[in-house]
Amino acid sequence: MFKKGKANKAVSLALSLVLMISMLTGISVYASGTVAKVTSGLKAGSYSSSKVISLRTMTNGAKIYYTTSGKTPTTKSTRYTKAFTITKSTTVKAIAAKSGMKNSPVSTFAYKINKVPTNLSGSFSMSGSSALFPLAKYVSALFKAKNPKLSITINAGGSGTGLNNVLAGTVDIGNSDVYAKEKLSASDAAKLVDHKVCIVGVATIVSPDVAALVKNISTSNLKAIFSGSISNWKSVGGPDRDIVVVNRPSSSGTRALFVKWALGGQKDIDGDTSLQTDDSNALAKTVSNTNGAIGYLALSYVESSSLNFGVLKINGYAPTYSNIYKNSYKVWGYEHMYTLGSPKTNVKAFLNYMVSKELVPSYEALGYGAISKLNSAARSSR
């Protein structure tokens, strides 16, 4: 017979063993309680083709029942025995049940299937954001390959240009790094329909001579540099060299994002006291080749550039999407594709393709971020 202390230890050890088995195997070892909820092998979201759905529960021996009509499932609904295919937009709801236990909560998985058409013809055009240009160009090529009779024209020019062009009806899509209301009057912005496609981060870049000494910069020092109150790099631990600001024109959405989120909305220097270009490749080249230079660049260009420039942390955080998703790095914005009213057939099909879940890995490989990965704090900040 165990003494009281030893008995308690034995019980505690047994419970620990039970929990360990449950965690390692994913199997519930309890004979009563609530059945573990049903999970799906495919994340809810938008897709451009038919998808296979697999369901599971972590409770050993439980049976899964599901519906595809949107109705709440019961143990009289279709029993899940093997993976099934959905060919159109479908909401799957499922429960798991086991004798002697309470049924699991209802799990809901909403799938939007936007099949990519392959017989489109005619044409459409877009212009605007230089930050979004590489992705828009990449997706346009994929979409055109599926629709060889379709003509797509795409130009950059800056967010302000794209928004004014789509408002005037000279293009079908206006690409922008910022909300239309930040560049247009309230009445004009209200005429446009916003289609958010992804997010883009903006990095502070410096010339190699500066990067050798400066790795991180505070928000206050960054503001001082762009206001002109700090004019030599030695003031922030860099070389004894004049600071050369490489800026962008006021029409630039990348500039608007940088001013708002890196400079706190302050008026930054431009005109005769700074170089200006909205060509991201030209800006990167200028910073790389000019001693003492500083500028800012969308991560889509940082990721793809082979030029020699340094990328600064801001307040200790590197400009990475993992930091943006966690709301640690603040200089980022949504990428918008605006249409004048509801998009026409060709444009609507293209926009559906732009946000299909299959393209997310491509977005990240090209230096863009997925909206779905933002945490609640990051989302609420915008």
Side-chain angles (χ1 to χ4, degrees):
M1 196 125 180
F2 285 116
K3 289 184 179 179
K4 187 174 180 181
K6 290 184 177 180
N8 288 340
K9 263 187 186 177
V11 170
S12 177
L13 183 60
L15 287 173
S16 297
L17 187 58
V18 165
L19 289 172
M20 187 179 295
I21 292 171
S22 179
M23 286 189 292
L24 291 176
T25 65
I27 298 173
S28 174
V29 294
Y30 297 104
S32 62
T34 302
V35 178
K37 69 179 182 179
V38 177
T39 58
S40 173
L42 181 69
K43 288 184 178 180
S46 296
Y47 296 90
S48 60
S49 60
S50 300
K51 290 296 170 186
V52 175
I53 308 299
S54 59
L55 304 175
R56 67 173 299 192
T57 175
M58 300 296 277
T59 302
N60 188 36
K63 297 175 182 178
I64 296 174
Y65 301 88
Y66 71 95
T67 64
T68 55
S69 62
K71 292 183 178 180
T72 301
T74 69
T75 52
K76 293 183 179 180
S77 300
T78 303
R79 183 183 168 190
Y80 175 79
T81 56
K82 62 179 180 179
F84 57 93
T85 301
I86 57 172
T87 59
K88 60 182 180 179
S89 295
T90 304
T91 297
V92 178
K93 292 187 176 183
I95 59 168
K98 183 178 180 179
S99 178
M101 298 181 72
K102 184 179 178 181
N103 292 351
S104 72
V106 175
S107 295
T108 302
F109 312 100
Y111 301 103
K112 189 174 183 181
I113 306 296
N114 297 307
K115 287 189 175 180
V116 181
T118 56
N119 59 350
L120 295 177
S121 59
S123 64
F124 66 85
S125 60
M126 67 184 88
S127 67
S129 164
S130 61
L132 186 54
F133 180 80
L135 180 61
K137 184 178 179 181
Y138 171 79
V139 176
S140 293
L142 294 179
F143 194 69
K144 194 177 183 312
K146 296 175 182 293
N147 297 276
K149 294 181 181 179
L150 182 65
S151 174
I152 304 174
T153 303
I154 174 170
N155 291 298
S159 297
T161 297
L163 290 168
N164 280 292
N165 285 349
V166 73
L167 183 65
T170 57
V171 297
D172 299 285
I173 301 173
N175 297 331
S176 178
D177 308 324
V178 295
Y179 288 96
K181 63 184 179 182
E182 297 180 44
K183 292 287 184 180
L184 304 175
S185 68
S187 58
D188 283 342
K191 298 174 185 177
L192 303 182
V193 178
D194 186 7
H195 310 272
K196 295 186 184 75
V197 294
C198 61
I199 63 173
V200 68
V202 179
T204 305
I205 64 171
V206 293
S207 54
D209 61 314
V210 176
L213 296 176
V214 181
K215 309 296 181 184
N216 176 62
I217 194 161
S218 67
T219 302
S220 58
N221 282 339
L222 200 59
K223 290 178 180 180
I225 286 172
F226 277 83
S227 70
S229 59
I230 290 181
S231 58
N232 192 297
W233 281 109
K234 67 180 180 180
S235 299
V236 293
D240 185 4
R241 183 161 287 139
D242 288 343
I243 294 173
V244 179
V245 172
V246 185
N247 215 337
R248 291 172 179 266
S250 59
S251 62
S252 167
T254 306
R255 170 171 168 160
L257 285 178
F258 187 77
V259 169
K260 185 171 185 176
W261 299 109
L263 305 181
Q266 76 173 30
K267 179 175 174 58
D268 56 328
I269 60 174
D270 59 13
D272 294 336
T273 55
S274 77
L275 302 174
Q276 268 195 31
T277 178
D278 200 35
D279 182 326
S280 294
N281 288 318
L283 186 146
K285 188 174 182 179
T286 300
V287 171
S288 298
N289 296 335
T290 306
N291 285 340
I294 183 173
Y296 45 94
L297 198 63
L299 288 182
S300 51
Y301 284 92
V302 172
E303 295 291 333
S304 62
S305 180
S306 59
L307 294 170
N308 185 22
F309 53 77
V311 178
L312 299 185
K313 294 179 181 179
I314 296 180
N315 299 325
Y317 291 102
T320 65
Y321 283 107
S322 60
N323 282 334
I324 290 173
Y325 295 150
K326 294 182 294 187
N327 201 36
S328 298
Y329 186 80
K330 311 291 186 180
V331 193
W332 66 273
Y334 290 109
E335 289 289 30
H336 312 259
M337 287 188 158
Y338 279 97
T339 57
L340 182 60
S342 299
K344 61 186 182 182
T345 301
N346 287 353
V347 174
K348 184 177 180 180
F350 174 78
L351 291 171
N352 285 338
Y353 185 54
M354 277 290 303
V355 296
S356 60
K357 220 162 185 77
E358 289 96 329
L359 289 180
V360 169
S362 299
Y363 282 14
E364 295 181 322
L366 290 169
Y368 300 86
I371 295 173
S372 61
K373 293 187 178 183
L374 293 169
N375 69 15
S376 57
R379 285 174 182 270
S380 63
S381 72
R382 299 299 186 271

